[in-house]
Every structure is written in C-alpha cells, then in structure tokens.
Amino acid sequence: MTTVTKRLAVVAVLLITVGAILLSVGAIGFQSDKQADANIGAGFALLAGPYIVGLGLVFALSAGLTHLTTRRR
C-alpha cells in the first residue's frame, strides 16, 4: 500500500465513524425530545450524518481503486 492509499483509507474510516456517531446522537436526541422543534442539533445530526457517511464511502472507494491501479514493483 502506498502512503496515498493509507491516507485515503484512514480518512474513510474516520468519516464513516464520525457520520455513524452523528446519526446515533441525532437519533437519541430526536427520540428523547418531547417538543417537535426544540432540539435543532438532533435535526442537524440526522441531516448531516448520511452525507458524512457517504463521503467516507467515496473515500473508501477511491482508496480501493487507488490500491488496485498502482503498479507493484
């Protein structure tokens, strides 16, 4: 693995982890709130979480393709 592939993989893992944590926190905050729009942070977390996970998947895909296309010496 090259350094580029390693960095892409690390960024992918971090983004997917952060997105999953955001989704969990948003879901817990959304369920525990009694009023409809009182917890804006939970709504933002539920909105941004899937996009962050998707960005992490894009980085993972690019890391995989970079690993497959690099020449081995």
Side-chain angles (χ1 to χ4, degrees):
M1 287 179 76
T2 63
T3 56
V4 174
T5 307
K6 288 178 186 176
R7 287 181 185 170
L8 285 172
V10 168
V11 169
V13 168
L14 288 175
L15 283 174
I16 291 171
T17 304
V18 167
I21 291 171
L22 267 177
L23 282 170
S24 299
V25 168
I28 291 170
F30 193 74
Q31 287 179 356
S32 66
D33 196 16
K34 301 294 181 196
Q35 297 175 358
D37 290 329
N39 195 350
I40 296 173
F44 174 74
L46 288 174
L47 182 68
Y51 290 109
I52 294 175
V53 171
L55 185 63
L57 291 175
V58 168
F59 271 92
L61 182 65
S62 66
L65 289 175
T66 302
H67 179 68
L68 290 176
T69 58
T70 55
R71 290 187 174 190
R72 298 184 186 187
R73 295 179 187 189

